[in-house]
Amino acid sequence: MEFVEELGLVRSINDPIHGVIHLTMEEMSVVESPLFNRLHHVRQNSFLYKVFPSAKHTRFEHSIGVMNYAHQMLLAVLENGYIAKRRGDIANSEDDFNSALTRGVGIDLNGHLRENKELFKQTFIELRLAALLHDIGHGPLSHLFDAFAPNVDEFLRIISSDENVGGDDIFISSIKQLLRDYELKQIKKEKTDVRIEHEHVSCYFIYKILHKIGCSQESIYNILTILKPELALGKLMVPIFNQEYDILQLLNDIVASAPIDCDRMDYLKRDSYFAGVPYGNYSEARVLKSMLAYAINDKKIRLGLKQSGLHAVENFLQARYEMYVQVYGHKTNEACRAMLNYVTEEKGLNFTSWSEKQLTAKDFEELYVSLSDEQFINHLLKKLGKERKKTLEDIRKRNLWKRVYEVEEFIDEKDKVTTLSAKFSEGFEQIIKEFGESQLMKFSDERFPLKDMGQGAQLLEKSSLGYYVVSPQKIRTSSQIIQSLNNGLRILRVYSLNQERISEFKKFASEHILPQLTQISNKQNMENE
């Protein structure tokens, strides 16, 4: 581990993916805090272990792995910038640098950052803490708990009651604006019951934890801005040719950007390892070698991926795509998801009355600390009606819904209704008419593994003068392999709730429904070739 002495990396944790991971005393204080420790009891992939029995790993070890990859990514950016400068691939004169700023120009961040020892140390420490805490607000059962979270007004009342947070008018004002903007977007999507997401809870818990361990307000603001740039609470300025550039956007790209960030790098390797499959593996060394910082004329530093490393990016994206298709989208895992969705659709089901005025910030924290996946399931079982309670118990017992039939189609994000999906709905009505609604359940899922490709790192190419600049070509369209992965996959599936009649359902579907669906699917595939 680089910079053990400079950063004070005096503690260590052994990890099956990374080996020994070193931590500072401050990071260890975070790891030992109750809010972080509860992640021991929140699985990374909910019920994936029902398909791959050893996939019981949690968000606790994933978060520590993400911190380690964040360190490695920043280190790679520094090393690659130094090497590029030695090779003459960086604009060394101020005139060349300024002339390429509007396009985006590669920089030797190592040279500029190393000039200030304290700034260098601060950059690594704040990045590592942001990565370590990126999942701190996650509730049990992955994203399912978001449906039971408080609404915006309830959440603002809760955090304002916290004496360590509510008194910070700057933070409260920023988080309020963030939440109102989010609420407005959801209302425009015609959502009537808007609940906060786990990222909003993360902002609150990060503030609480960092304040408790003695972090300065400046560092807290910077770390929050790394994870949620919309908060715009902090800046971390690096001097380049007598001008100052904010490095926090680069740190955000490292933690939560596309197509590659430390979160994705860890969960692909970790999920693949614990599921016992090869799909999520990629060349870590080649991916890290492709990274380079660049400056843009909005006074920000961002993450770039060198065109010479495009094959490593392809390899990474293929690994991600295969994990979505082969592991996360496995029919049995999807059966668990479909059953959970069915359970939570019960009318009037709630988790707690967040609107109660006596519910304080302390109560909110204690509630999250107490909630594991299993405890949340136990809580739901007490509130569910007979039918949905049986469904949840069936998940526990692995008495899962069985697939009757399914079809798949490649779509883009604009495809809401296609010929195949319309015909699938007609077929479902046909089989429902034959056997009844209580026997069968329709499930539709759309997966866009590369949907956020345009939001993060940019492709860097060498200009006619020989130094790196941002390429006009986007990563999404940079190669045939990546273009082929751009489409989403829509899975249309019918499950049987009655296991004794599964053969009967399948026979009817094969005779009356599947022939038409297969014909349409084949025609669409031919048109797409």
Side-chain angles (χ1 to χ4, degrees):
M1 171 64 74
E2 298 281 345
F3 316 127
V4 170
E5 184 177 353
E6 285 181 77
L7 301 181
L9 301 169
V10 295
R11 300 292 296 273
S12 63
I13 292 175
N14 196 53
D15 181 76
I17 308 302
H18 302 276
V20 176
I21 298 176
H22 294 276
L23 300 93
T24 66
M25 290 302 296
E26 290 79 10
E27 290 161 359
M28 205 65 199
S29 295
V30 170
V31 169
E32 291 172 344
S33 69
L35 281 171
F36 193 92
N37 232 273
R38 74 183 183 88
L39 297 179
H40 268 306
H41 310 292
V42 179
R43 291 191 188 93
Q44 179 72 14
N45 293 289
S46 299
F47 289 113
L48 188 63
Y49 72 94
K50 299 290 185 181
V51 189
F52 304 96
S54 58
K56 293 185 175 182
H57 53 297
T58 69
R59 293 193 181 273
F60 181 93
E61 59 263 35
H62 164 65
S63 297
I64 295 169
V66 170
M67 180 192 69
N68 189 64
Y69 264 134
H71 183 107
Q72 296 303 320
M73 285 178 70
L74 181 55
L75 185 61
V77 166
L78 298 181
E79 290 179 345
N80 296 338
Y82 171 76
I83 292 169
K85 183 178 181 181
R86 291 291 298 268
R87 290 178 174 174
D89 296 336
I90 296 294
N92 281 315
S93 75
E94 187 172 355
D95 288 341
D96 286 346
F97 175 81
N98 289 332
S99 66
L101 264 179
T102 54
R103 186 171 173 182
V105 57
I107 59 171
D108 170 23
L109 184 60
N110 182 67
H112 298 291
L113 204 54
R114 280 287 194 174
E115 293 174 1
N116 186 325
K117 187 175 180 180
E118 285 305 310
L119 179 62
F120 177 85
K121 180 179 178 180
Q122 183 182 359
T123 301
F124 266 94
I125 287 174
E126 290 177 357
L127 171 65
R128 288 169 60 92
L129 283 170
L132 180 63
L133 289 162
H134 81 287
D135 264 355
I136 193 66
H138 253 295
L141 295 185
S142 193
H143 296 275
L144 179 69
F145 188 72
D146 287 355
F148 298 91
N151 63 35
V152 170
D153 288 330
E154 290 165 345
F155 185 60
L156 283 172
R157 184 189 59 76
I158 290 169
I159 65 175
S160 296
S161 72
D162 190 321
E163 60 182 18
N164 293 319
V165 176
D168 188 336
D169 293 337
I170 295 174
F171 172 72
I172 292 295
S173 176
S174 293
I175 196 78
K176 184 175 181 179
Q177 186 62 51
L178 176 75
L179 289 166
R180 293 302 180 200
D181 289 345
Y182 163 76
E183 185 179 41
L184 185 60
K185 288 178 183 177
Q186 297 304 307
I187 291 172
K188 286 182 178 178
K189 293 177 182 177
E190 301 182 350
K191 292 191 176 181
T192 55
D193 184 24
V194 179
R195 303 277 166 170
I196 63 168
E197 296 183 321
H198 73 270
E199 289 95 341
H200 304 132
V201 180
S202 289
C203 292
Y204 171 47
F205 285 168
I206 287 167
Y207 193 109
K208 282 182 70 75
I209 292 171
L210 295 180
H211 182 273
K212 189 172 183 178
I213 67 171
C215 273
S216 68
Q217 188 180 63
E218 178 192 4
S219 283
I220 294 174
Y221 284 179
N222 285 348
I223 290 164
L224 286 168
T225 304
I226 291 169
L227 290 172
K228 219 44 170 165
E230 305 97 304
L231 288 171
L233 285 165
K235 287 185 177 181
L236 191 58
M237 309 305 290
V238 177
I240 302 175
F241 290 119
N242 301 314
Q243 296 188 62
E244 291 198 325
Y245 289 78
D246 189 1
I247 199 175
L248 291 186
Q249 188 61 61
L250 168 68
L251 306 188
N252 171 259
D253 287 342
I254 287 174
V255 176
S257 181
I260 298 171
D261 58 35
C262 56
D263 183 25
R264 291 175 174 89
M265 287 183 73
D266 186 80
Y267 78 62
L268 284 181
K269 290 269 189 180
R270 194 171 298 277
D271 292 354
S272 176
Y273 175 86
F274 282 101
V277 299
Y279 308 122
N281 288 315
Y282 57 89
S283 175
E284 177 184 315
R286 292 177 66 219
V287 166
L288 292 173
K289 192 177 177 182
S290 71
M291 297 175 180
L292 187 69
Y294 71 90
I296 195 79
N297 64 352
D298 62 359
K299 300 300 184 199
K300 291 180 179 178
I301 298 173
R302 301 294 304 266
L303 178 66
L305 299 170
K306 295 185 289 184
Q307 199 166 39
S308 58
L310 190 58
H311 291 307
V313 177
E314 288 174 347
N315 173 231
F316 183 89
L317 294 177
Q318 283 179 297
R320 187 179 173 204
Y321 188 88
E322 285 297 323
M323 284 295 286
Y324 269 93
V325 174
Q326 303 281 9
V327 177
Y328 310 134
H330 190 284
K331 61 179 173 49
T332 307
N333 190 47
E334 296 283 39
C336 292
R337 286 186 58 215
M339 293 172 77
L340 276 174
N341 289 340
Y342 173 70
V343 165
T344 57
E345 284 171 1
E346 180 165 306
K347 291 182 179 179
L349 182 66
N350 64 6
F351 178 69
T352 189
S353 181
W354 303 108
S355 59
E356 291 181 8
K357 290 186 178 179
Q358 62 265 35
L359 187 69
T360 65
K362 183 180 178 182
D363 297 327
F364 186 77
E365 178 182 350
E366 288 176 352
L367 178 66
Y368 264 78
V369 168
S370 69
L371 276 179
S372 65
D373 287 349
E374 291 302 318
Q375 286 170 321
F376 182 51
I377 291 171
N378 289 336
H379 178 86
L380 288 179
L381 285 171
K382 294 175 184 177
K383 296 204 168 194
L384 291 167
K386 182 178 178 181
E387 186 177 338
R388 285 176 168 81
K389 181 177 181 179
K390 180 183 181 304
T391 301
L392 189 53
E393 288 175 336
D394 282 343
I395 297 175
R396 269 187 164 175
K397 298 172 184 175
R398 207 182 181 280
N399 183 26
L400 305 177
W401 293 348
K402 296 294 188 291
R403 177 182 58 180
V404 178
Y405 66 93
E406 73 173 47
V407 287
E408 297 178 353
E409 62 178 339
F410 291 105
I411 57 172
D412 62 36
E413 293 182 69
K414 298 176 182 178
D415 289 332
K416 299 301 179 185
V417 179
T418 63
T419 304
L420 185 64
S421 61
K423 187 59 68 174
F424 174 81
S425 295
E426 290 177 16
F428 181 68
E429 292 302 319
Q430 187 179 356
I431 196 170
I432 283 293
K433 187 176 180 180
E434 182 73 20
F435 296 104
E437 289 185 16
S438 62
Q439 305 291 305
L440 300 152
M441 183 65 64
K442 179 171 66 173
F443 177 78
S444 175
D445 188 41
E446 295 177 4
R447 293 192 176 275
F448 292 93
L450 310 186
K451 67 178 179 179
D452 44 9
M453 281 282 287
Q455 298 174 9
Q458 299 295 310
L459 195 64
L460 302 182
E461 65 179 13
K462 286 188 182 180
S463 70
S464 58
L465 296 175
Y467 51 77
Y468 283 107
V469 293
V470 173
S471 171
Q473 188 174 35
K474 302 301 180 185
I475 294 176
R476 180 185 286 272
T477 57
S478 57
S479 78
Q480 283 188 319
I481 290 176
I482 294 176
Q483 286 185 61
S484 70
L485 300 175
N486 279 332
N487 288 334
L489 183 68
R490 176 184 285 155
I491 301 169
L492 301 162
R493 187 177 289 144
V494 173
Y495 286 107
S496 167
L497 281 65
N498 187 329
Q499 310 309 319
E500 295 176 0
R501 301 187 69 185
I502 186 71
S503 298
E504 189 179 350
F505 299 153
K506 286 186 174 182
K507 185 175 185 295
F508 180 87
S510 65
E511 292 175 356
H512 301 282
I513 300 173
L514 280 174
Q516 281 185 306
L517 295 178
T518 302
Q519 187 177 11
I520 294 169
S521 179
N522 290 339
K523 183 180 178 181
Q524 286 186 185
N525 289 337
M526 288 177 66
E527 290 173 352
N528 290 332
E529 286 181 355

